[in-house]
Amino acid sequence: MFAHMNDAPTDGWTVDDLDALPEDGARRELIDGILHVTPSPAPTHQVLAARLLVALEETCPEHLHVSQANDVVLSMQRLFTPDVLVTTDEAAARDRRFIAKEVVLAVEIVSPGSQSMDRVMKPALYAKAGIPFYWLIERSGGLVVHAFRLADGDDVYQPVGVFTETIKLDQPWGIEIPVARLRPRHL
């Protein structure tokens, strides 16, 4: 369909357009039909995401599934790739992109080039799409995990905790993770 990414559709990119692009390992996200291509995360970022995935997976209920860097379709012109996410196990068994209503928790790890996206844009759009839980992990000055959830009938996240020692929450399930366990060696 598209010979090059420069051959952008005149009415904006859609999720279907992304399927026509070559599998080249690039991380592509869509914001209102605008294609954003970002480099792969730094090794420290990836280690942090992997450690969080393992820690969540250890206590995750069987009806849920923890994964890393999978696409989530918020609409035909909005697609994000959270660093870590928890979905329904039923959705994970289909082995494809997830849609927002299948996502229980989206986690973003702030990098120098993603601050505005992770702190402002993504939580606003995840909340609008109805993803019930959002975590934001800050890495400057040590690890800090900010946890948010949607109140019933709301489309804006409310803070439920800021964690520097132990992530301790009772939703989306009973979670207790020492923050030091997530810290990569070089952080």
Side-chain angles (χ1 to χ4, degrees):
M1 179 179 225
F2 301 104
H4 301 286
M5 287 193 337
N6 294 338
D7 298 336
T10 56
D11 54 349
W13 289 87
T14 67
V15 171
D16 292 336
D17 294 331
L18 294 183
D19 291 335
L21 296 174
E23 270 300 320
D24 57 5
R27 188 177 229 179
R28 295 181 178 95
E29 296 182 316
L30 290 177
I31 303 172
D32 298 332
I34 298 171
L35 179 64
H36 295 263
V37 181
T38 58
S40 295
T44 301
H45 184 111
Q46 290 176 320
V47 169
L48 174 54
R51 289 182 178 192
L52 177 60
L53 178 142
V54 169
L56 288 171
E57 177 65 24
E58 288 174 353
T59 62
C60 182
E62 288 191 24
H63 69 281
L64 298 176
H65 177 82
V66 184
S67 63
Q68 186 176 347
N70 293 116
D71 292 344
V72 176
V73 176
L74 306 181
S75 73
M76 285 308 291
Q77 290 194 316
R78 289 183 181 157
L79 176 140
F80 288 132
T81 308
D83 293 309
V84 176
L85 65 157
V86 177
T87 64
T88 65
D89 192 56
E90 179 182 334
R94 289 194 300 270
D95 194 32
R96 58 159 179 75
R97 290 185 176 121
F98 298 107
I99 57 174
K101 72 179 185 178
E102 299 168 328
V103 179
V104 175
L105 167 66
V107 180
E108 296 291 352
I109 301 166
V110 178
S111 295
S114 72
Q115 295 174 29
S116 296
M117 287 291 293
D118 294 341
R119 293 177 183 151
V120 181
M121 178 73 75
K122 286 184 178 182
L125 295 176
Y126 286 152
K128 199 92 164 143
I131 295 173
F133 298 94
Y134 178 69
W135 291 5
L136 179 71
I137 301 179
E138 300 276 355
R139 301 183 314 161
S140 59
L143 287 181
V144 180
V145 179
H146 302 266
F148 303 89
R149 76 173 185 81
L150 286 178
D152 289 336
D154 205 353
D155 64 355
V156 176
Y157 287 117
Q158 301 301 318
V160 294
V162 177
F163 307 98
T164 57
E165 298 295 324
T166 302
I167 304 165
K168 188 170 175 118
L169 295 162
D170 58 0
Q171 291 181 318
W173 68 88
I175 296 171
E176 189 168 342
I177 302 169
V179 172
R181 178 179 176 193
L182 307 178
R183 185 172 291 111
R185 273 183 255 161
H186 306 289
L187 187 61

